[in-house]
Structures are given as C-alpha cells and as structure tokens.
Amino acid sequence: MEKIVINGGAPLRGEVEISGFKNAALPIIYACVLVRDKCIIENVPNVLDINRSFEILRGMGATIKTIDRTTVEIDCTNVVSGTSDYSLVRRLRGSYYLLGAEFGRFGKARVAYPGGCDFGVRPIDQHIKGFKALGGEVITDGGYIEISTKIGRAKGTNIFFDMVTVGATLNVMLAAVLGEGTTIIENAAREPHIVDCANFLNSCGAKISGAGSDIIKIRGVSELHGCRYAIIPDMIEAGSFMVAAAATRGDVTVTNVIPKHLESITAKLEEVGVSVEEFDDSIRVSVDGPLRPTNVKTLPYPGFPTDMHPQMCAFLTTVQGVSFINESIYDNRFKYVQELKRMNAAVKVEGRMVTIEGGVTLSAAPLVAVDLRGGIAVIIAALTCSGQSEVTDIHLIERGYDDLVGKLKQLGADIKKVYVPDPVALKKAN
Ligand code: EPZ
C-alpha cells in the first residue's frame, strides 16, 4: 500500500503536459473488440482503469503490445465473447462497454454487472433499453448481464434516451456499428469522448455521423478494419490542474489540451476572478487579483462537468464568501465533503446542494481518497494549506491520473508517495 504525503502552502508554478483522456480511452479500447485487425492507439494514459482493461481483453484472447509509454497495438481478432474475468469486470464501471462491443461483433454478450465509483445508484436501464431496441434479448442472472439476438447481430432502429447518458450513448454506438440497417440515437450525450469514439470507429470504416450533437446516426457496415488513432487529451485532468493552480494562487500552463473542451471550466474560473489565457493547445491559469464566490451547477457537456465538482469545492473553500455547487448528475457524490471538514472547511450538503463558506483557513490533516475525483479534491485542498497532510487509498486516484505526484512535483509541490506496510501482513510477520 502507498500514501501521498504533502507539505502544502506553496503556489504551483510552471508547465504540465496533460495525458490522454481515460474516459475516452476506455470506450475506444473496448471498441477494438469490434475490429478483427490490429489497431494502434496513441496518447493512452498509463492509469489503473486502462491497465485493468488491457488485462480483461488479454484474458479474452486479445493480443496487446506496448509500443511506447503511451502507445499500444491491440489485436482482438481472436477474442472470444462471454469470457471476460468476472472479478476484474465488476470492479471497473468502464468495462460495461464490453456489452456493446460483444453485442456488436458477435450478436451476443455475457458480462459481469458493472461496478465503479459509489455515487449512489448508478443504473444501466438506458443501456438495456438501447440493447433491447436493437433486437437484443437481455437477461440479468447470477451477477451477469446476457444479451442474445435471433438474427445474430443488432438490427438498426431509433432510440430516444430518457436522460442524457454518456455510457449508454457509447454502448449503443458500439452495438449498432456492425448492425443491420441504420440506428438513430436521440437525446444523445455530447461529450468530447463520444466524438472521439465515433472518430475512432469511422477511422476503422464505420459510418457514424452527428456525434457531438444530440442526434447520432449510425449506418451499419459489414466489418471494420484496423487503424492508427490518438486519444484526445484529458479535459478533467487539465481542469483539475487549472483549479489546483487557482487554489494555490499559482501560475500554471497546462499543455497538450483542446481549449474548447475546457470552456465551461475556463468560464467558471474567470467568473471567480482567475486569469485564464488560451493558446492553440495550452491554457495558462494565474491569480493576480481579488477572487469572489460563485455558483456552480453540474450539467452534461457542454455544461460544467460533474467530474470537476469536488475539485471546484476544494478551490472555493479558499475564496472569501459563500459559494454553492448544485450537483445535478449524481445523487450522492458528496463523500469527499467529510474529508474537507477534517481540514476545518466550512462546507455543508443539503440534498444535492453544497454550500461553501470560503475563506476559512484550512489545516493539514490525515485524509482519505473516497473516490477518484474526491481524491484529487483533497490533494488540491492539502496543497493550499501549510503543514503536512497524508492521503491514503491513493489507488482510487491512480485509476484516472497518470503520474500525478511527478506532475505536481514538477510544478513545485512538496509531495511524495510513501510505502505503507500492510498492518495485517506486519502482524502476521511479528
Ligand atoms: C461516465 O460515467 C464517466 N465514467 C463518469 O466519470 C462521468 O461522471 C459520467 O460519464 C458523466 O459525465 C466513465 O466514462 C468511465 P452516465 P457514466 O451514463 O457513463 C444516470 C470519473 O470521475 N443513468 O452519463 O456511468 C446515472 O445514474 C467518472 O471519471 C441512468 O439513470 O455516466 C447518472 O446519474 C465518474 N441510467 C447519470 O445518468 C442509465 O442507464 C449520468 O450517467 C445510465 C445513466
């Protein structure tokens, strides 16, 4: 086990290169199951969720070769449907893209019911609605979800989602791309990673149009061929560093980004009084004037991302005045608040509204990463206050941040990873 030790209080300064987007890489990696050929994927982040996905696909018969630190060659020619490892799949929500990919390629699927960060109920009813609309017979039995079809492939249809859902939009896209006829998805999610997955599939010969809008058209093709494709930069990692720069009153340039993907974060930081300069593929964040409280409402893209909510809360605890965050996507993404309270943060949660009384001086404390974004939030908070903080359960942060400690060190943070002997193993040894 390891923990992160931080001596905070210094502003972050310098440049940091942003890695590939975990939430774009996941659907694209599972989409390779649809391709009986070699695909070269570039700008892949080196994070736990991705490495676990490689382990799942290798276990199904895929050949995955590392070309360099961020480039892999994936060949799913010999993948066998229904053979994914139950214990690996259930721990990784993103593995539910296997459902759409297996359904799309084989006309059938058998995958463990998905797990993932615990934000309360995380249903997959819209995924199932989409699979059924495509002619799939879906049963959940013994911890598995099974899909079968009479014609051996998906049958094109029109699907209108009850709510905007990233996962279901992507899963239906994967299921329909080799289907018979045309599929229209209405009320589709518009996130950049949906566009990225559609662009990858089109590079393999798919016929998808409208990705990025709320209506996506997929004309089924008979097969896909290999391609070389680069994953888009991680807008949430970039946003996390932008907010950390503002929280520590620093001056940081994030490079290898697409500024358009960050517009809602940039706009909100400027509203608070943070200086944000946009360049072609980089953004500079600095604080050179007074900051003021603000109100945030999380929304599907292009609104303010829910995955930036905990980080924004940590930042707003340092801004004099009362700010609010209204979490409209998840019913329980608030466990991180308890950790901020250990640092004297004046934050309370009522329903889905977080009220932040900013300007209270935080104090260093022993902290826990409650989930992926709750973990980065407590690290940002620890960076803002003098004294030594420790953060445990950092594997949850390493699910989605590539070399976080190295990147923060590069920006001048006094931060290190420390090995923690397993108390149970120690007891046994003595
Ligand atoms: C993806 O989750 C991301 N995960 C999440 O990022 C992100 O918060 C979320 O999209 C929203 O942007 C991955 O990409 C692996 P949804 P996903 O389907 O696909 C409800 C992170 O920190 N819903 O858009 O599960 C659902 O309960 C993670 O990187 C249904 O009701 O998100 C939620 O309230 C956390 N029925 C809302 O929609 C369904 O069938 C958004 O879910 C599907 C979803």
Side-chain angles (χ1 to χ4, degrees):
M1 278 213 297
E2 293 176 302
K3 66 184 176 184
I4 287 176
V5 177
I6 294 168
N7 283 293
L12 296 177
R13 293 190 192 291
E15 271 196 14
V16 59
E17 183 173 343
I18 298 303
S19 300
F21 194 1
K22 162 186 86 90
N23 290 351
L26 282 169
I28 287 172
I29 285 165
Y30 288 108
C32 290
V33 169
L34 293 158
V35 185
R36 290 180 177 83
D37 200 350
K38 289 183 173 60
C39 295
I40 307 282
I41 313 295
E42 298 171 346
N43 204 31
V44 178
N46 184 15
V47 296
L48 279 178
D49 276 8
I50 299 301
N51 296 329
R52 281 186 183 138
S53 297
F54 291 153
E55 201 182 339
I56 289 169
L57 291 183
R58 283 194 178 104
M60 297 175 73
T63 306
I64 301 177
K65 290 180 191 153
T66 302
I67 309 292
D68 62 37
R69 191 179 183 282
T70 59
T71 307
V72 292
E73 178 193 87
I74 301 178
D75 184 349
C76 289
T77 305
N78 301 318
V79 159
V80 177
S81 82
T83 60
S84 58
D85 179 290
Y86 185 91
S87 60
L88 282 176
V89 167
R90 62 168 297 168
R91 288 162 50 198
L92 178 60
R93 183 165 179 88
S95 58
Y96 62 19
Y97 294 126
L98 259 182
L99 283 166
E102 286 192 33
F103 181 14
R105 170 158 169 194
F106 302 106
K108 60 181 179 177
R110 184 172 188 270
V111 182
Y113 207 91
C117 284
D118 177 12
F119 304 145
V121 180
R122 290 187 75 183
I124 57 167
D125 58 298
Q126 298 299 300
H127 299 240
I128 292 171
K129 170 180 174 172
F131 296 145
K132 285 182 174 172
L134 289 167
E137 198 174 313
V138 184
I139 55 169
T140 48
D141 181 35
Y144 281 91
I145 299 174
E146 299 195 28
I147 306 173
S148 57
T149 56
K150 293 187 177 58
I151 62 168
R153 58 194 295 210
K155 184 161 175 38
T157 183
N158 285 18
I159 297 161
F160 194 104
F161 282 131
D162 301 346
M163 89 281 293
V164 173
T165 150
V166 169
T169 301
L170 283 164
N171 241 339
V172 164
M173 191 192 286
L174 298 180
V177 78
L178 292 171
E180 184 185 273
T182 296
T183 296
I184 307 268
I185 304 174
E186 294 184 79
N187 200 18
R190 300 165 51 192
E191 273 69 2
H193 31 312
I194 289 170
V195 178
D196 212 24
C197 189
N199 289 343
F200 164 74
L201 288 166
N202 285 341
S203 303
C204 294
K207 292 195 172 100
I208 302 171
S209 54
S213 78
D214 61 350
I215 299 180
I216 298 176
K217 182 175 182 179
I218 302 143
R219 279 173 289 161
V221 296
S222 54
E223 70 172 329
L224 297 174
H225 54 72
C227 75
R228 177 183 282 268
Y229 193 80
I231 306 283
I232 54 171
D234 191 325
M235 55 188 267
I236 304 300
E237 183 193 20
S240 303
F241 276 100
M242 290 165 69
V243 165
T248 58
R249 308 303 188 261
D251 184 341
V252 171
T253 299
V254 291
T255 64
N256 181 34
V257 298
I258 299 173
K260 175 148 186 60
H261 294 170
L262 293 155
E263 279 179 346
S264 64
I265 299 166
T266 295
K268 194 47 75 175
L269 288 175
E270 287 178 330
E271 209 176 280
V272 175
V274 176
S275 165
V276 184
E277 283 176 273
E278 281 187 9
F279 304 93
D280 288 347
D281 63 355
S282 63
I283 293 181
R284 180 178 178 187
V285 174
S286 59
V287 177
D288 40 28
L291 301 182
R292 47 192 173 272
T294 188
N295 295 349
V296 180
K297 181 175 174 63
T298 66
L299 286 168
Y301 191 86
F304 190 89
T306 175
D307 293 347
M308 283 297 303
H309 150 185
Q311 300 90 309
M312 200 66 188
C313 181
F315 165 44
L316 291 170
T317 64
T318 72
V319 176
Q320 192 73 36
V322 181
S323 294
F324 300 94
I325 299 179
N326 179 353
E327 171 54 58
S328 76
I329 307 291
Y330 293 110
D331 54 20
N332 180 15
R333 178 168 215 163
F334 309 103
K335 291 198 181 97
Y336 73 93
V337 170
Q338 284 311 320
E339 296 305 307
L340 294 181
K341 284 181 166 178
R342 291 173 192 281
M343 305 174 79
N344 283 338
V347 182
K348 68 179 178 198
V349 182
E350 287 156 323
R352 290 190 173 204
M353 184 68 81
V354 183
T355 305
I356 304 145
E357 198 178 319
V360 171
T361 306
L362 297 190
S363 63
L367 303 161
V368 170
V370 293
D371 55 44
L372 171 56
R373 308 303 174 182
I376 191 71
V378 295
I379 285 186
I380 290 171
L383 288 168
T384 68
C385 55
S386 56
Q388 180 166 303
S389 296
E390 300 185 348
V391 181
T392 57
D393 286 4
I394 61 170
H395 62 283
L396 291 174
I397 304 172
E398 290 173 337
R399 281 186 45 213
Y401 287 88
D402 186 351
D403 188 24
L404 178 68
V405 170
K407 288 173 177 171
L408 285 170
K409 261 188 192 160
Q410 194 183 309
L411 295 173
D414 178 347
I415 182 170
K416 62 185 175 190
K417 227 193 286 194
V418 173
Y419 173 69
V420 181
D422 178 352
V424 173
L426 266 184
K427 202 167 175 189
K428 277 186 185 158
N430 295 336

